[in-house]
Amino acid sequence: MRKVELGKTGEQIPVLGQGTWGIKSRKGKDYYDSWKKSLRKGIELGLTHIDTAEFYGLGTSEKIVGEIISEYNRDDLFITSKLFPMHFNFRTMKKAASKSLKRLGIKNFDLYLIHWPSPFTSVEKQMNILDHLVKEGKTRYIGVSNFSVEQFKEGLSFLNTELVTNQLPANITKQKHISESLPYYQENGVTLTAYSPLGHRGYSTLKGELRDKLNIIAKTHNATIQQIAIAWLINHKNVMTVPKAFKIEHVESNAKAAEINLSEEELKIIENTVDS
Ligand SMILES: NC(=O)c1ccc[n+]([C@@H]2O[C@H](COP(=O)([O-])OP(=O)(O)OC[C@H]3O[C@@H](n4cnc5c(N)ncnc54)[C@H](OP(=O)(O)O)[C@@H]3O)[C@@H](O)[C@H]2O)c1
């Protein structure tokens, strides 16, 4: 699996990880076993970065990811989780981070993000908790998600540590952050983690001009349009992504997408077919 540098940390991280938003609560054993099978397959194929959050399945995703972590050497996995903006002060934010670590069964996150800029707490307070968690050794790296470039810069102004990533919605049908925000992150050595790389639903019903053009590109590379959609993202410098796949065949297909090199012309075709 191809790797990219995480921010300016010098740490190399797989360009493709595994998303876990889809893991639901209150499901049967077979359901969770299938999820775990897919996550294990991903790890086997080098998708060792697992993205979770306290919000996903209201803790269930972290719990299942924790069960997977317990099967591996901790250092072989890179675990990201996120603080949901429903905690109002330092004490409750700290407690939420501890609960996430407990569900994951680990001593520290590799990367901990503010999931959304909080409407209730200042950016300064949100950065204070991240800073505190780094100092306490509860997370190796910190970052944010769903922050605008302006909010990201404001966050940095309160920190001596780098924010290694901004996790943002970015895909072939939602290209705004690639065209508008990515240049800032590239210039400043920040990784853009593209979420919902397959438009959240997997593009099975994608129609129109974009579908037609993707079909042509996919044929050239003997690939699926979903593989081309993923390849399009990670063919950009400073971008990594975390597709979610419950089905094992999807995990296998996604891993292969990391090997696809698109030409400048193919990248432009995809960019010029969508105005977003
Ligand atoms: N920070 C945030 O606010 C935020 C927000 C949204 C998402 N995220 C993160 O990003 C991750 C991914 O985004 P997402 O869950 O919205 O969805 P996504 O990865 O864009 O798409 C998932 C859908 O694509 C399908 N799929 C996966 N691989 C495929 C393939 N090779 N061919 C065809 N279909 C394929 C999946 O099907 P199956 O599941 O049936 O295999 C599922 O229906 C999340 O799980 C989460 O970790 C973060």
Short mmCIF file of all heavy atoms in Angstrom, two decimals, residues 19-22 51 56 82 115-116 145-146 167 195-202 226 242-247 250 253-254, ligand 1:
data_model
loop_
_atom_site.label_atom_id
_atom_site.label_comp_id
_atom_site.label_asym_id
_atom_site.label_seq_id
_atom_site.Cartn_x
_atom_site.Cartn_y
_atom_site.Cartn_z
N GLY A 19 -12.94 3.54 6.62
CA GLY A 19 -13.96 4.29 7.35
C GLY A 19 -14.87 3.32 8.10
O GLY A 19 -15.03 2.16 7.70
N THR A 20 -15.46 3.80 9.19
CA THR A 20 -16.33 2.90 9.97
C THR A 20 -17.62 3.60 10.41
O THR A 20 -18.22 3.22 11.39
CB THR A 20 -15.61 2.37 11.23
OG1 THR A 20 -15.32 3.49 12.08
CG2 THR A 20 -14.32 1.64 10.90
N TRP A 21 -18.02 4.60 9.66
CA TRP A 21 -19.24 5.30 10.03
C TRP A 21 -20.43 4.35 10.00
O TRP A 21 -21.35 4.44 10.81
CB TRP A 21 -19.46 6.51 9.11
CG TRP A 21 -20.68 7.30 9.43
CD1 TRP A 21 -21.43 7.22 10.58
CD2 TRP A 21 -21.32 8.28 8.62
NE1 TRP A 21 -22.47 8.12 10.53
CE2 TRP A 21 -22.42 8.77 9.33
CE3 TRP A 21 -21.05 8.81 7.35
CZ2 TRP A 21 -23.27 9.77 8.81
CZ3 TRP A 21 -21.88 9.79 6.85
CH2 TRP A 21 -22.98 10.26 7.58
N GLY A 22 -20.42 3.41 9.07
CA GLY A 22 -21.59 2.54 8.89
C GLY A 22 -21.86 1.54 10.00
O GLY A 22 -22.91 0.89 10.00
N ASP A 51 -10.47 4.68 10.72
CA ASP A 51 -11.07 5.94 11.12
C ASP A 51 -12.39 5.68 11.84
O ASP A 51 -13.30 5.06 11.29
CB ASP A 51 -11.34 6.78 9.86
CG ASP A 51 -11.98 8.11 10.18
OD1 ASP A 51 -11.26 9.00 10.66
OD2 ASP A 51 -13.20 8.27 9.98
N TYR A 56 -20.04 7.52 15.87
CA TYR A 56 -20.44 6.43 14.96
C TYR A 56 -21.07 5.28 15.75
O TYR A 56 -20.41 4.61 16.54
CB TYR A 56 -19.24 5.90 14.15
CG TYR A 56 -18.59 6.94 13.25
CD1 TYR A 56 -17.33 6.72 12.71
CD2 TYR A 56 -19.23 8.13 12.93
CE1 TYR A 56 -16.72 7.66 11.89
CE2 TYR A 56 -18.63 9.08 12.12
CZ TYR A 56 -17.38 8.84 11.61
OH TYR A 56 -16.78 9.76 10.79
N LYS A 82 -12.58 10.73 16.94
CA LYS A 82 -13.00 12.15 16.90
C LYS A 82 -13.91 12.52 18.06
O LYS A 82 -14.74 11.70 18.49
CB LYS A 82 -13.76 12.43 15.59
CG LYS A 82 -13.12 11.88 14.36
CD LYS A 82 -13.87 12.26 13.09
CE LYS A 82 -13.44 11.39 11.94
NZ LYS A 82 -14.04 10.05 11.92
N HIS A 115 -14.39 16.68 15.66
CA HIS A 115 -15.22 16.15 14.56
C HIS A 115 -15.86 17.28 13.72
O HIS A 115 -15.90 17.21 12.49
CB HIS A 115 -16.32 15.26 15.16
CG HIS A 115 -16.88 14.26 14.21
ND1 HIS A 115 -17.34 13.05 14.60
CD2 HIS A 115 -17.04 14.29 12.86
CE1 HIS A 115 -17.78 12.37 13.55
NE2 HIS A 115 -17.60 13.10 12.48
N TRP A 116 -16.40 18.26 14.41
CA TRP A 116 -17.00 19.43 13.77
C TRP A 116 -16.63 20.64 14.62
O TRP A 116 -16.57 20.50 15.85
CB TRP A 116 -18.53 19.34 13.75
CG TRP A 116 -19.05 18.33 12.79
CD1 TRP A 116 -19.24 17.00 13.03
CD2 TRP A 116 -19.49 18.56 11.44
NE1 TRP A 116 -19.74 16.39 11.91
CE2 TRP A 116 -19.92 17.32 10.92
CE3 TRP A 116 -19.55 19.70 10.62
CZ2 TRP A 116 -20.39 17.18 9.62
CZ3 TRP A 116 -20.04 19.55 9.33
CH2 TRP A 116 -20.44 18.30 8.84
N SER A 145 -11.72 18.34 11.76
CA SER A 145 -12.56 17.85 10.68
C SER A 145 -13.66 18.88 10.44
O SER A 145 -14.16 19.48 11.39
CB SER A 145 -13.16 16.49 11.08
OG SER A 145 -14.01 16.01 10.06
N ASN A 146 -14.00 19.05 9.20
CA ASN A 146 -15.09 19.97 8.82
C ASN A 146 -14.80 21.42 9.21
O ASN A 146 -15.73 22.19 9.43
CB ASN A 146 -16.42 19.49 9.42
CG ASN A 146 -16.83 18.14 8.89
OD1 ASN A 146 -17.00 17.95 7.70
ND2 ASN A 146 -16.96 17.15 9.78
N GLN A 167 -10.03 16.74 8.11
CA GLN A 167 -10.81 15.68 7.43
C GLN A 167 -12.06 16.35 6.85
O GLN A 167 -12.85 16.93 7.58
CB GLN A 167 -11.16 14.57 8.43
CG GLN A 167 -11.77 13.38 7.73
CD GLN A 167 -12.06 12.18 8.62
OE1 GLN A 167 -13.22 11.76 8.74
NE2 GLN A 167 -11.04 11.60 9.23
N TYR A 195 -13.11 12.47 3.22
CA TYR A 195 -14.13 11.52 3.68
C TYR A 195 -15.26 11.41 2.67
O TYR A 195 -15.39 12.25 1.80
CB TYR A 195 -14.58 11.81 5.12
CG TYR A 195 -15.54 12.96 5.38
CD1 TYR A 195 -16.86 12.96 4.92
CD2 TYR A 195 -15.14 14.01 6.19
CE1 TYR A 195 -17.74 13.99 5.23
CE2 TYR A 195 -16.02 15.06 6.51
CZ TYR A 195 -17.32 15.03 6.02
OH TYR A 195 -18.18 16.05 6.33
N SER A 196 -16.05 10.36 2.81
CA SER A 196 -17.08 10.01 1.83
C SER A 196 -16.49 10.02 0.41
O SER A 196 -17.03 10.67 -0.50
CB SER A 196 -18.29 10.95 1.91
OG SER A 196 -18.88 10.89 3.18
N PRO A 197 -15.39 9.29 0.20
CA PRO A 197 -14.75 9.31 -1.12
C PRO A 197 -15.62 8.72 -2.22
O PRO A 197 -15.38 8.97 -3.40
CB PRO A 197 -13.49 8.45 -0.91
CG PRO A 197 -13.84 7.56 0.23
CD PRO A 197 -14.71 8.39 1.13
N LEU A 198 -16.64 7.93 -1.81
CA LEU A 198 -17.55 7.35 -2.81
C LEU A 198 -18.94 7.97 -2.67
O LEU A 198 -19.96 7.31 -2.88
CB LEU A 198 -17.58 5.82 -2.66
CG LEU A 198 -16.23 5.16 -2.96
CD1 LEU A 198 -16.24 3.69 -2.58
CD2 LEU A 198 -15.87 5.32 -4.44
N GLY A 199 -18.95 9.24 -2.27
CA GLY A 199 -20.21 9.99 -2.22
C GLY A 199 -21.18 9.46 -1.19
O GLY A 199 -22.38 9.71 -1.28
N HIS A 200 -20.70 8.68 -0.24
CA HIS A 200 -21.44 8.07 0.85
C HIS A 200 -22.26 6.85 0.42
O HIS A 200 -22.45 5.92 1.18
CB HIS A 200 -22.35 9.10 1.55
CG HIS A 200 -22.99 8.58 2.80
ND1 HIS A 200 -22.24 8.13 3.88
CD2 HIS A 200 -24.29 8.39 3.14
CE1 HIS A 200 -23.07 7.70 4.83
NE2 HIS A 200 -24.31 7.84 4.41
N ARG A 201 -22.76 6.83 -0.81
CA ARG A 201 -23.61 5.70 -1.24
C ARG A 201 -22.93 4.77 -2.23
O ARG A 201 -23.51 3.79 -2.67
CB ARG A 201 -24.91 6.23 -1.85
CG ARG A 201 -25.76 6.94 -0.83
CD ARG A 201 -27.06 7.43 -1.44
NE ARG A 201 -27.70 8.38 -0.55
CZ ARG A 201 -28.38 8.06 0.53
NH1 ARG A 201 -28.54 6.80 0.83
NH2 ARG A 201 -28.91 8.98 1.30
N GLY A 202 -21.72 5.09 -2.62
CA GLY A 202 -20.98 4.15 -3.46
C GLY A 202 -21.13 4.37 -4.96
O GLY A 202 -20.64 3.56 -5.75
N GLN A 226 -15.74 3.23 -9.27
CA GLN A 226 -15.45 3.53 -7.85
C GLN A 226 -13.93 3.57 -7.63
O GLN A 226 -13.43 4.42 -6.89
CB GLN A 226 -16.08 2.48 -6.94
CG GLN A 226 -17.59 2.59 -6.80
CD GLN A 226 -18.35 1.94 -7.95
OE1 GLN A 226 -17.77 1.33 -8.85
NE2 GLN A 226 -19.68 2.07 -7.93
N VAL A 242 -10.44 7.57 3.38
CA VAL A 242 -10.90 6.48 4.25
C VAL A 242 -12.23 5.91 3.76
O VAL A 242 -13.27 6.10 4.40
CB VAL A 242 -11.02 6.97 5.72
CG1 VAL A 242 -9.66 7.12 6.37
CG2 VAL A 242 -11.80 8.28 5.85
N PRO A 243 -12.24 5.19 2.62
CA PRO A 243 -13.51 4.63 2.17
C PRO A 243 -14.08 3.64 3.17
O PRO A 243 -13.33 2.96 3.87
CB PRO A 243 -13.14 3.92 0.86
CG PRO A 243 -11.68 3.73 0.89
CD PRO A 243 -11.11 4.81 1.76
N LYS A 244 -15.40 3.58 3.21
CA LYS A 244 -16.07 2.62 4.10
C LYS A 244 -16.59 1.47 3.24
O LYS A 244 -17.23 1.69 2.20
CB LYS A 244 -17.23 3.32 4.82
CG LYS A 244 -18.14 2.38 5.57
CD LYS A 244 -19.48 2.31 4.86
CE LYS A 244 -20.30 1.14 5.29
NZ LYS A 244 -21.55 0.98 4.55
N ALA A 245 -16.28 0.25 3.62
CA ALA A 245 -16.77 -0.90 2.86
C ALA A 245 -17.12 -2.05 3.80
O ALA A 245 -16.27 -2.58 4.50
CB ALA A 245 -15.73 -1.35 1.84
N PHE A 246 -18.36 -2.39 3.80
CA PHE A 246 -18.85 -3.51 4.60
C PHE A 246 -18.57 -4.82 3.84
O PHE A 246 -18.24 -5.84 4.42
CB PHE A 246 -20.36 -3.31 4.81
CG PHE A 246 -21.04 -4.39 5.58
CD1 PHE A 246 -20.77 -4.58 6.94
CD2 PHE A 246 -21.97 -5.21 4.98
CE1 PHE A 246 -21.41 -5.58 7.67
CE2 PHE A 246 -22.62 -6.21 5.70
CZ PHE A 246 -22.33 -6.39 7.05
N LYS A 247 -18.69 -4.75 2.52
CA LYS A 247 -18.49 -5.96 1.71
C LYS A 247 -17.01 -6.19 1.43
O LYS A 247 -16.30 -5.28 0.97
CB LYS A 247 -19.24 -5.84 0.38
CG LYS A 247 -20.73 -5.75 0.56
CD LYS A 247 -21.46 -5.91 -0.78
CE LYS A 247 -22.94 -5.66 -0.60
NZ LYS A 247 -23.29 -4.23 -0.51
N HIS A 250 -15.61 -5.15 -1.85
CA HIS A 250 -15.38 -3.71 -1.96
C HIS A 250 -14.03 -3.33 -1.34
O HIS A 250 -13.31 -2.50 -1.86
CB HIS A 250 -16.51 -2.94 -1.27
CG HIS A 250 -17.79 -2.94 -2.06
ND1 HIS A 250 -19.01 -2.59 -1.53
CD2 HIS A 250 -18.03 -3.26 -3.37
CE1 HIS A 250 -19.94 -2.68 -2.47
NE2 HIS A 250 -19.37 -3.09 -3.59
N SER A 253 -11.38 -4.31 -3.78
CA SER A 253 -11.38 -3.42 -4.93
C SER A 253 -10.76 -2.06 -4.55
O SER A 253 -9.95 -1.50 -5.31
CB SER A 253 -12.83 -3.26 -5.41
OG SER A 253 -12.97 -2.18 -6.25
N ASN A 254 -11.10 -1.56 -3.37
CA ASN A 254 -10.56 -0.26 -2.94
C ASN A 254 -9.04 -0.31 -2.80
O ASN A 254 -8.34 0.62 -3.19
CB ASN A 254 -11.21 0.18 -1.62
CG ASN A 254 -12.69 0.46 -1.80
OD1 ASN A 254 -13.15 0.60 -2.92
ND2 ASN A 254 -13.42 0.54 -0.71
N1 LIG B 1 -15.41 13.58 9.58
C1 LIG B 1 -16.64 13.47 9.20
O1 LIG B 1 -17.51 14.31 9.49
C2 LIG B 1 -17.04 12.29 8.36
C3 LIG B 1 -18.29 12.29 7.70
C4 LIG B 1 -18.59 11.20 6.90
C5 LIG B 1 -17.70 10.15 6.78
N2 LIG B 1 -16.52 10.16 7.48
C6 LIG B 1 -15.57 9.01 7.40
O2 LIG B 1 -15.40 8.66 6.05
C7 LIG B 1 -15.73 7.29 5.88
C8 LIG B 1 -16.22 7.01 4.46
O3 LIG B 1 -17.32 7.80 4.10
P1 LIG B 1 -18.81 7.25 4.03
O4 LIG B 1 -19.02 6.20 5.04
O5 LIG B 1 -19.68 8.46 4.05
O6 LIG B 1 -18.97 6.58 2.63
P2 LIG B 1 -18.11 6.25 1.29
O7 LIG B 1 -16.85 5.60 1.69
O8 LIG B 1 -18.08 7.44 0.44
O9 LIG B 1 -19.07 5.19 0.60
C9 LIG B 1 -19.49 4.02 1.25
C10 LIG B 1 -20.42 3.27 0.30
O10 LIG B 1 -19.67 2.86 -0.84
C11 LIG B 1 -19.78 1.46 -1.01
N3 LIG B 1 -18.50 0.98 -1.53
C12 LIG B 1 -17.31 0.91 -0.89
N4 LIG B 1 -16.35 0.46 -1.70
C13 LIG B 1 -16.94 0.22 -2.90
C14 LIG B 1 -16.48 -0.30 -4.14
N5 LIG B 1 -15.19 -0.62 -4.33
N6 LIG B 1 -17.36 -0.42 -5.15
C15 LIG B 1 -18.66 -0.09 -4.99
N7 LIG B 1 -19.16 0.39 -3.83
C16 LIG B 1 -18.32 0.55 -2.80
C17 LIG B 1 -20.07 0.92 0.36
O11 LIG B 1 -20.77 -0.33 0.24
P3 LIG B 1 -20.64 -1.51 1.36
O12 LIG B 1 -20.51 -0.82 2.69
O13 LIG B 1 -21.90 -2.26 1.18
O14 LIG B 1 -19.42 -2.32 1.04
C18 LIG B 1 -20.98 2.01 0.91
O15 LIG B 1 -22.31 1.88 0.43
C19 LIG B 1 -16.77 7.06 6.99
O16 LIG B 1 -17.07 5.71 7.20
C20 LIG B 1 -16.12 7.78 8.12
O17 LIG B 1 -15.09 6.99 8.69
C21 LIG B 1 -16.16 11.22 8.24
#
